[in-house]
Each structure stands twice: as C-alpha cells, then as structure tokens.
Amino acid sequence: MDWMKIFSALLIILMLVYIVPRAKGMLKNSPKASNNDMVAALIPLLLVIGFVFLLIKSV
Amino acid sequence: MNRPVELAQSQSAVLEVNKVLKNTYALLSVTLLFSALTAFISMQMEMPGFMPLVATFGALGLIWFVLPRTANSAAGIGVVFAITGLLGLGLGPMLNSYLQMSNGSQLIMTSLGGTGVIFLALSGYALTTKRDFSFMGGMLVVGMVLVLIAALANIFLEIPALSLAISAIVIVIMSGFILYDTSRIINGGERNYIMATVGLYLSIYNIFVNLLMLLGVMSDD
C-alpha cells in the first residue's frame, strides 16, 4: 500500500521536525562525561546487546 | 548552625525523590497492564493493518500537544492512559501477524520476558549505583535523529539488513533512555511522575516492538 508508506514517511518527518531542535538544545546543555561515566553507561548497554544476542540464539 | 536546616532539606529532597519513584512505577505498572488489555481487544477485534499508524499519530499528538499542558494536573493521568491505550491498540495487528507464525506465541513471550529483564536490570542498575547519566541525553537524542533518518530512507529503499540494524540500534538507544530517565528521577531532574512514566513507557514499548521484530526475522521458522 503506497499511502501507508507516505503516511509512515510523514510520521517520521514530523518526529524529526519535533526532535531536531530539542536535540540541538540537549547537545548544548548536556554535561560533559568523564571516562568513568562513559564506562558506567557502556557496560550495561553492552550487556543488553549480549542479552539480545542470546535471545536471538534461543529462538 | 545551619546543619539541622540542611539535614531537613536533604531529607525532604530524598522523600520527594522516593515519592516520584513510587508514583512513577505504580503508574507505569498500571499503564502497561492497560496497554496489554487494549492490545488484546485490538487482537480480538482484528483491527486493520493501518491501525498502528493511526494509533501512533494519535499518541504522538497527545504526547506533543496535550501532555505538556496537563502533566501537572489530575487530567494528565487520563492523558497517559489515552496514550498507552492507543499504543496498545496499535500493537494488535502486529501481534496477530506474529501469532500466524508457527512459533509466534513463543516469539511474543520471549520478547515480553526479554523486555522485562532489560527494563528491570537497567532500572535496578541506575537505582543502586545512583549515578548521574544526564550526560547521555544529547548522545541519545542525536542517535534517535540518525535512526529516524535511516528509517525514513528505508521506507523507500526497503533493505532488510538496514531494517534489522535499525531495530538493534533502537533497542540500545531505548536502553540508554531507561538509564537516563531513571537517573533523572533519582537525581531530582524529573519531579513530574506523569512525564517520567511516559518516558519509561515509550522506552519499554520500543524495546518490545523492536525485539519482537528482530526475533521474528532471526528465528528459523
């Protein structure tokens, strides 16, 4: 259905119009991360990736 | 001299954070159940394939234009139920199409369980470490913008591998948002439990949908 594609694209464009200005603001105002902070955030995210990989293997 | 005052202030801040956390998790639990109910109704009524699109348009309209105006009043709770109910309704056709696969119910249950494990583990991590993950905000939103651009291109390109990559990246970004949102509640950055609930709900919803998509494509059947 082509109109489904058009409406999906419209939805994503609307999301982008809403998010992009906020993304700029958040990028400007986000505090800088130390190496420790980055490691503390990356470890759980890497564990999530590993967990998802395990789920994929299990089905 | 000011010690008792400082102590009282810090105790009141802790109490405030605990109250926001308690209310957020209570509202989140109820809205997840409500979503499950509307998804079930949508499945039983065999809603048409365009329903997810209509539901997402409706939910985004409520999130962008109605929720910010009602989040500080009791009406905000009704708006949260409307958002989560609509998104639940949108899940019906997708769940019905997975149930037509030979291992469909297993895939749905695995996605549901997997989403639960990811949410509980990340929330538990943020709550126990009490770290401030506010630095992730900018990165996560930029990541989301890039994913949306890729998804927009893929509507017309229809590359299956790109679709899989987008689903995998969305799971990671939404996991990051769970850390970010939970740490904002703990560190006093988010004092409105209605807004906090919607943020966490959207992360859980997106993880579930994208995990189901990944498992569906990668399963043998």
Side-chain angles (χ1 to χ4, degrees), chain B residues 124-146:
Chain B
Y125 178 74
L127 287 170
T128 49
T129 59
K130 295 195 189 313
R131 272 186 178 272
D132 182 8
F133 290 110
S134 58
F135 68 90
M136 293 171 79
M139 289 183 253
L140 291 171
V141 178
V142 169
M144 209 53 229
V145 168
L146 295 176

Side-chain angles (χ1 to χ4, degrees), chain B residues 174-194:
Chain B
M174 292 301 146
S175 300
F177 269 117
I178 291 175
L179 287 179
Y180 173 78
D181 287 335
T182 311
S183 100
R184 265 172 54 82
I185 300 171
I186 299 166
N187 296 299
E190 181 58 86
R191 292 182 176 234
N192 185 313
Y193 72 95
I194 291 177

Side-chain angles (χ1 to χ4, degrees), chain B residues 113-173:
Chain B
T115 306
V117 168
I118 292 172
F119 173 70
L120 290 176
L122 292 173
S123 290
Y125 178 74
L127 287 170
T128 49
T129 59
K130 295 195 189 313
R131 272 186 178 272
D132 182 8
F133 290 110
S134 58
F135 68 90
M136 293 171 79
M139 289 183 253
L140 291 171
V141 178
V142 169
M144 209 53 229
V145 168
L146 295 176
V147 162
L148 285 173
I149 292 169
L152 181 61
N154 209 34
I155 288 176
F156 303 102
L157 297 174
E158 295 183 348
I159 304 169
L162 181 57
S163 178
L164 275 182
I166 289 169
S167 285
I169 294 167
V170 169
I171 291 172
V172 176
I173 291 176

Side-chain angles (χ1 to χ4, degrees), chain B:
Chain B
M1 283 290 265
N2 286 334
R3 275 225 143 158
V5 176
E6 283 169 15
L7 194 65
Q9 278 174 342
S10 84
Q11 274 178 342
S12 117
V14 169
L15 283 175
E16 173 73 21
V17 165
N18 284 344
K19 194 178 157 197
V20 175
L21 259 180
K22 200 178 106 186
N23 287 341
T24 302
Y25 285 129
L27 187 57
L28 187 63
S29 315
V30 180
T31 50
L32 284 170
L33 286 174
F34 183 62
S35 253
L37 176 70
T38 56
F40 178 74
I41 292 168
S42 167
M43 287 166 74
Q44 293 302 310
M45 290 174 69
E46 296 188 353
M47 293 267 191
F50 61 80
M51 192 59 204
L53 204 55
V54 174
T56 311
F57 263 108
L60 282 183
L62 289 174
I63 292 169
W64 290 343
F65 305 113
V66 183
L67 189 65
R69 290 173 194 176
T70 53
N72 290 314
S73 64
I77 296 176
V79 176
V80 176
F81 275 95
I83 293 166
T84 55
L86 268 175
L87 290 172
L89 273 181
L91 279 179
M94 191 179 94
L95 295 178
N96 272 343
S97 71
Y98 277 95
L99 282 177
Q100 281 167 5
M101 293 168 74
S102 62
N103 61 345
S105 53
Q106 187 208 344
L107 290 178
I108 292 171
M109 292 316 288
T110 308
S111 302
L112 208 55
T115 306
V117 168
I118 292 172
F119 173 70
L120 290 176
L122 292 173
S123 290
Y125 178 74
L127 287 170
T128 49
T129 59
K130 295 195 189 313
R131 272 186 178 272
D132 182 8
F133 290 110
S134 58
F135 68 90
M136 293 171 79
M139 289 183 253
L140 291 171
V141 178
V142 169
M144 209 53 229
V145 168
L146 295 176
V147 162
L148 285 173
I149 292 169
L152 181 61
N154 209 34
I155 288 176
F156 303 102
L157 297 174
E158 295 183 348
I159 304 169
L162 181 57
S163 178
L164 275 182
I166 289 169
S167 285
I169 294 167
V170 169
I171 291 172
V172 176
I173 291 176
M174 292 301 146
S175 300
F177 269 117
I178 291 175
L179 287 179
Y180 173 78
D181 287 335
T182 311
S183 100
R184 265 172 54 82
I185 300 171
I186 299 166
N187 296 299
E190 181 58 86
R191 292 182 176 234
N192 185 313
Y193 72 95
I194 291 177
M195 297 302 278
T197 301
V198 172
L200 288 173
Y201 175 90
L202 289 177
S203 301
I204 292 171
Y205 178 89
N206 281 308
I207 290 175
F208 172 69
V209 169
N210 286 284
L211 190 54
L212 186 56
M213 252 181 236
L214 265 185
L215 295 180
V217 174
M218 303 300 271
S219 75
D220 294 333
D221 291 327

